[in-house]
Structures are given as C-alpha cells and as structure tokens.
Amino acid sequence: MSHHIVEVRNLQHVYSDGTAALKDISFIITHGESVGIIGANGAGKSTLLQHLNGSLEPTGGSIHIGHTPLSKGTLPDIRRTVGMVFQDPDDQLFMPTVYDDVAFGPLNLGYSIDDVEQRVTEVLELVGAGHLRDKPPYHLSGGEKKRVAIATVLSMSPDILVMDEPTNGLDPFARRQLMKLMKDFKHTRIFTSHDLDMVLELCGRVIVLHEGEVWADGPPLEIFGNSKLLAECRLEKPLSMQGCPVCGNNPAKDIN
Amino acid sequence: MWAVSAGTIAYCSAKVRAELDDSKIPLMGVLGAFIFAAQMINFTIPVTGSSGHLGGGLILAILLGPYAAFLTIASVLMVQALFFADGGLLALGCNIFNLGFFPAFIAYPLLYKKIIGAQPTATRISVAAMIAAIAGLQMGAFGVVLETIVSGVSSLPFSTFVVMMQPIHLAIGIVEGLVTASVVSFVYKARPEIMQSALNARPIGNHPVRKIVLAFLAAAVVTGGIISLLASENPDGLEWAIAKVTGHNELKEPENALHGSLKVLQEKIAILPDYSLKKPAEATKDKLQPEAVQNHPSAKPETKSETPKNPAGTTVSGLAGGAITLGLAFLIGFILKRRNQNGTS
Amino acid sequence: MASIHNAVLDLKRLDLLANGNSSIHRLDARAKVLVTLIFTICVVSNDRYELTALFPFFIFPVAMISLANLPPLFIMKKIALLCPFVVAVGIFNPVFDRVIILQLGSIGISGGWISFASIMARSTLTVGAAFILVASTGFTAVCQALEGLGMPKVFAVQLLFLYRYIFVLTEESGRASRARELRSCGKKGQGIHSFGSLVGHLLLRTWQRAERIHMAMLARGFTGAFHASRQSRFGIPEIRFVLAWSALFIFLRFQNASQLLGSLVTGLFP
Ligand SMILES: Nc1ncnc2c1ncn2[C@@H]1O[C@H](COP(=O)(O)OP(=O)(O)O)[C@@H](O)[C@H]1O
Ligand SMILES: [Mg+2]
C-alpha cells in the first residue's frame, strides 16, 4: 500500500428499505490530497464515506485503497489505514473515559500497554486535549468531544483521514481549532461538510454529490464559481466568495 | 436469590459471549439506557386517568432474545438500585430473578413466541405482547409470594397472599401489556427486520435445560456461604421485590378506588429492606413475627407480637455508649478532615 | 420524568467527585469495593432490634467522607432522598410491635421504635457507603473492580455501555417528551397512541445509534474482545486499607462497642 490511493469505481448502494443512496460513483484520490465532498442533505455523502472503510458494503462497484480491493479479508488492514471520524462524536466515544477511548484502537491493534500509554498521551497533546484525559465523554463540550473523537482515530496512525461533517455544531473558536488540526495532518484527507468556507480554505479539490451521483469534481474555485451548478445542487457560494456589500471587498482578492 | 441471579448472569454472559455476534454488545448497553430514557415518557392510562410508563423485561426479550435481555435487565436493575434512590441492594437478587428471569425465559419463549408463530402479523404481535406481559407479571408476583413463603418470614397464609398479589398485578400487567404492545407494533411496522432477527436468535429449546440447572446449582454452591444465607433469611429483600414488581408501572394521582388502594399498597410495601438477619435459632422462633403483616395493609395484625429477645445493645448504657461512639465517630472525621486540609494546603 | 432527570444530574455530580485526588481516590478500586462489601454485610447482618451496635459503624462513612474530601451535604442529601422509602418500611413497626423492651426513666420504648430506628440506621449506613464508594471511585472503576473480582466480562461491559448512554438517551428522551407536552396542550395527546409512536421512534433511533456505535468500534479494530487499558496495582496501601477496615468491621460486628463504652462510662459515674 505505497501511495494510499483511494479509488472508487462505479459504486452503488441501495439501503435495505429500497432507497438508492448512491448511483454509480467513480473517482480517484491520490496521496496527500485534501478533498471536500459537498452536497445537499440526503445527497449520499455519509453513505459514501461509510463505504471507504467497509462500514457499509457496496451494492455494486468496487473500492480500492492503495491498490488493495476492499473485501472481507482485507478489511482489518484497510480499517487501520483509513481512519474514520463519525458525524456524531457520541457514537464514537463509547468508552468510560477519554483515555480509554483513545486507547481502544491501539489496544485492538495489539500494542503493549506502555506503547499505548505513550501514543495516547502524544495524540491527546496533538489535539489539545491532554487535560481531558481522565474525563468521561459526557462531561465534554461539543468541541472537546470532536477533538477527542479525532484523537481516537489518530492514535491508530491512519494514512487516510475520513471525516463526516467535522465542524458541524461547533462554535467559531472550536471550528478554527479543528481546521488548524486538519491542516496539520499530512496525509490524505477526505471530508464532507456544509461549511463551504472551510472547504474552500482546506481543500485542493471538491466533489459535488447530488442525489447519489457525482455532479462535479474539480478545484474549489472552479466549482464555487459555477453558479448554475451550485443552484442545481442546492448549494451556495462560500460567504467569503460572495463579496461583502458593506465593506465592498473584492472576493477574488481574499482567496489564496 | 442472589446466588441464583448471579448464576444466571454468569450463564447468560457465557452464552452471549459464545453465541451472539459482537454487534449485540453495544446494542444491549444502549437499549438498557433506553429503558431509563423511555421511563421519562409517561402516558395517560385510558380509563383511570393515571399515568404509566414502559416496564422493560418483555420488550427487551422481544428485541434481544432471552439471554441478552436477561443481562440487560439485570444491569438496569443494578444501576437503579445503586443510583436511582431505588435502594435495596440486597433485594437485587430477587428482583433480577422476578423481573428478568420470568419475562425472558418463560413469558417470551413459551407465550410470546408461541402466539406469534412462524408468520407474525401486527395483530398477533400485539396480542402476544399483551398476554406475555400479563403472564410475566403474574409469574413475577407469584415468585415474590413463593420467595416470601419459602424464606419463612411471612406469617401470612399462602392463599391470602396470593389473593392479594395476583389481582393487583393483573391490573398492572394489562397496563404493561398495552404499552409493550403499542411500542412493539410500532417497531414492527417501521422496521420488521429488527424483530425478525431477534426471533431467529435461537429458541430456548435448543440447549438442554439440564445445563441451566447445573449452572444455577454451581453458582448457588459457590456464592452460597454468606450471601445465600443473607438471601434466604432476609425478608426485606422480598418486600422490596414486591415493591419493585408493583412499582414498575407506578400509578400516580390516585383518582379512583382501585388506584387509591394501589397507591396505598405501593407505599406500604415500597420497601427499603429492613435488613434483618436472624440467627437460625431465632428465625424459627420468630416464625410468627408479624413482620410481613406489618407491611401489608390488607392483612390484620391479628398475630400477637411475640416478645422479642432483648439484644445486648438495647439497654440504657448501650444507648449512652452509642451516643458517645457516634460523637466520637464524627469527631474523628472532623479531625481527619482538618488534617487532610492542612496536609494538602 | 423530573425524578429521572434529577437522578441523572446527581449521577453526573457523583461522577465528577470521583475525579478528585485524595489518598482514598488513589486506592485501587478493588480494595474499596471489597471494603464496602464487607461493611455492608457486617451492618446488614445485625439483629433487627440492634441499634447501638450500629453506631460505631458510622466511623466508616464519616472517615471516608473526610479523607476523600467529599461534600458531606451532598452525600447526606442523596441519602435523605431515600428516607421516604425507609420510613414507609419502618413506620408500621411501632404500630404493630408495642412490646416495651427498653425503659428510659419513665418512658418505655417499644421494640417497634427500636427496630424502626435500626432500619433507618442500617439503610443510612449501607446506602451511604455505596454512594461514597461511587463518589470516591467512579462507576466505571467500580465496574472494572467487580470484573476483577469475578463478575463476567460481558456483564461488566454491558454495565459500562448502559451507564455511558444513560446520559445521551435521557437527554434525547427529555427533549422528545417536552416537545410532546408542549404540543399536547394540557392533557390531550398524552395517551397511549402518541406514547407508542414516541417511544417507538426513540427506540428506533436508539437502535440506529447502536448500529453506528458498532460501526465505530469495528472501524477501530474491534474484534469482540475488550482489552485492559491499565495495569492494575493492588499494592501495600490497598492491602493495609482492606485489612484494617475489615478487621474493624468484624470486631464491631461481634462486639458491641457502644455497649462496652457505655458500661464503662455508666460504671464510672454510677
Ligand atoms: N440506514 C438507512 N436506511 C435507509 N435509508 C437511508 C439510511 N441512511 C441514509 N438513508 C438515505 O440515503 C440517502 C443518503 O443519505 P446520507 O448518505 O445520510 O446523506 P447525507 O449525508 O448526504 O446527508 C438519504 O435519502 C437517506 O434518507
Ligand atoms: Mg450525512
């Protein structure tokens, strides 16, 4: 698995109740890319992400991670490579304390207790949650929960970080902190968001989903410049590109 | 009872670990928490105008199958006993048995599953839930009666006790059945596959009953000692167990006769154990002790109070000494606290 | 509903107390669980008319509260919440059991009152000890300790999950039931139908949450086993703690210290 390429070919998914959530999705993401997946509610973003680490099984099509096809046999390896941060941190933080939660993954990977301890400490420092170590998850604020949820995944040293709506429900300060964290992650990042300003700031590439299909795939400026596409997909320009009627800022200047 | 319940927990744990897929692990925990959450939602009981809420045993059995359900009920009762002012840690054993074993291992497999048969329909499921809930509670109530009688703490005649307990639990069972049926049929309409998967999780007939009995016996012997002594000699556990069976659909706002009397009964038997452990010799002597009578309003205290033995402590000097020790205890605490604070600051 | 809500709030508070850092907090949880068990057995196994022999046992909760720096008022309030239950149990004893067994000057005290007081004392002691255990240890650690002492793993894990999601789910259900109350204008709409679908919805959401949690567990390499994340140490302080307290409890159980002290005092001042 040298280059951690994510390759999705003709992916389809139909839920057991008959909802066709994904219809023929294809793309390739290469190593180190930062990709934002955007689309209206119900467009299929979460469904797509859950395929990337085998949480959902495709109805049709295939997924390769670093040239390894995703299948039952390769699942453990792939889950180690692809770190998945779920949308609701309450689903991700199921252990009694922050420490136990962050240690959960490494322990499952078979590291020794001392190694785990060191790893957990490092990762918690990295996300700025060292002081939360012994707290139970229900005593954390939304932003803290999110950072710890990311730590639980980083502690397994994934090569690809997948996040579902990471800034959803965060206050501006927590959002900033999180964005910095994501910027610092060196490997491939794939995340969904309705926070288009964040997508604009963090992503080198944007994939637009609409009703289970890829409607556009390209650099953020190009996509956010296409008003017709955005309207069709029930999206809007990021605020920073809308121009500011009060101060008369020229939006184009601010970017880059 | 502690021993038996502990044995069943051990057995079910082994069973769950060996046979259920690991997705059941979070499911059981979260559904246990759901029971608490669901009890925050009340509804108005049609005829009486009082309010009730979801019990738990049967619905868990329907959703999870017997073994996982039993463990979940046990954990719910344990947390309730510990934190939710539901006292009676010692009665926990009886409660787990009465509220867990009967619904999960008897009412569910022998009634619910038989009634819904191979091709469940919405109506069948409602009827089955109703009948199984009523039967489960009847058995629970009967269990309380038997435990009380067997443990020899009650002077109440068996028949009086039964006549008192069963009808009340019929009323409560109907409410519980109504609730369970309404929730279960909702789930059946929305996600039939959930209930199907629980149904497919092995029927109880699959494994020899002998094994269960053996597990019970083994646990009873092991846990025996002190704890089973406590369990069999401890009357209050039973009282609390009664309260527990009754209390699950606590009926508030006494507005009519049935209701009022239920409430009175409940209050009188809503018991925190009066943890009395008699030494065997005394226990037999105290057979006629009006203990259970005292706690049951409908029973007349016709039994004459037998003169209790005067235990050593209950004398004037004992009381004086008691007051002093109590004072000393608090003094020591105070000093420790001071020292502690000086030490840390 | 309010009562469950309050209980959950208190639960959080107890849990926060467990974050303290005192000599008691630092002890291995198993030691504290053991001592609490022995304490409970020694207290509970007293005769029903035993009152004074119970007094010396108060040294344990009092000492623990002081040593662990717990807020005494909060613990007392938690215990007081139980009082109605206990009173309901015991209040009939004085009514039915009027045999005088103690003469204090001209006032005769009946066995019923004595056993009533005894019930109160016993429940205060045992419930207090349980709260103190949780407040100085944390529910999680108590579960893990019980597991170390032989409780089946699956059951321990089950308890932990239950505890973890009580907070999430009671909040969710609180919101749902408030919304229903607001829309049901007084009494209408509080019936069994809206109840069934409300609870049913809650159940389905709970179910989906369990599925997501399971996914999250799998995503982090879960294969069905939980691994211990800490080395436990049951060292000298733990052994000392357990031995000292159990010796005291067993002594107090078989020897009425109040009586001894009392006869000493009344003997000195006849
Ligand atoms: N567990 C499920 N069962 C059935 N349908 C689902 C399920 N999860 C999502 N869907 C449906 O699939 C579609 C895509 O959902 P999702 O991937 O969650 O969208 P997004 O994350 O983009 O908002 C929606 O129509 C949604 O209703
Ligand atoms: Mg989504």
Side-chain angles (χ1 to χ4, degrees), chain A residues 46 87 164-165:
Chain A
S46 301
Q87 186 166 347
D164 200 353
E165 305 200 15

Side-chain angles (χ1 to χ4, degrees), chain B residues 22 28-30 32-33 37 41-44 75 272 274-275 282 291 294 301 305 308 312-314 322 325 333 340, chain C residues 1 11 44 47-49 52 55 66-67 89 93 96 119 122-123 139 158 162 173 180 190 195 206 214 256 258-259:
Chain B
D22 55 21
M28 285 160 57
V30 179
I41 302 173
N42 293 316
F43 68 94
T44 314
S75 68
L272 224 234
D274 65 344
Y275 305 121
E282 255 175 295
E291 165 130 8
Q294 292 167 15
S305 299
T314 321
T325 30
N340 215 15
Chain C
M1 174 192 142
L11 208 55
V44 163
D47 189 89
R48 64 188 255 121
Y49 292 105
T52 55
F55 289 161
S66 323
L67 286 174
V89 188
N93 290 7
F96 292 116
I119 291 170
R122 268 185 288 208
S123 55
F139 184 73
Q158 148 76 11
L162 166 69
S173 127
R180 171 160 162 265
Q190 296 274 41
F195 174 86
T206 306
H214 185 233
N256 186 336
S258 296
Q259 181 73 33

Side-chain angles (χ1 to χ4, degrees), chain B residues 209-224:
Chain B
V209 177
R210 197 167 52 95
K211 249 163 101 190
I212 302 184
V213 175
L214 278 182
F216 271 39
L217 281 181
V221 171
V222 174
T223 346

Side-chain angles (χ1 to χ4, degrees), chain A residues 50 53 55 79 86 88 90-94 96-97 99-101 104-105 107-108 136-139 152 156, chain C residues 12 15-16 19 140 161 163-165 167-168 209 212-213 215-222 225 227 229-230:
Chain A
Q50 280 169 26
N53 76 339
S55 293
R79 286 197 169 139
F86 287 79
D88 183 350
D90 273 327
D91 297 339
Q92 185 132 17
L93 306 178
F94 45 78
T97 66
Y99 180 91
D100 291 319
D101 244 316
F104 183 83
L107 283 169
N108 284 332
Y138 40 82
H139 289 311
T152 63
M156 300 177 72
Chain C
K12 278 194 178 178
D15 225 78
L16 282 179
N19 280 336
T140 310
F161 267 102
Y163 189 71
R164 164 73 181 90
Y165 284 98
F167 299 103
V168 178
R209 183 183 290 282
R212 292 196 304 269
I213 295 167
M215 269 189 203
M217 293 169 75
L218 290 179
R220 277 147 67 199
F222 180 68
H227 308 269
S229 68
R230 269 165 251 242

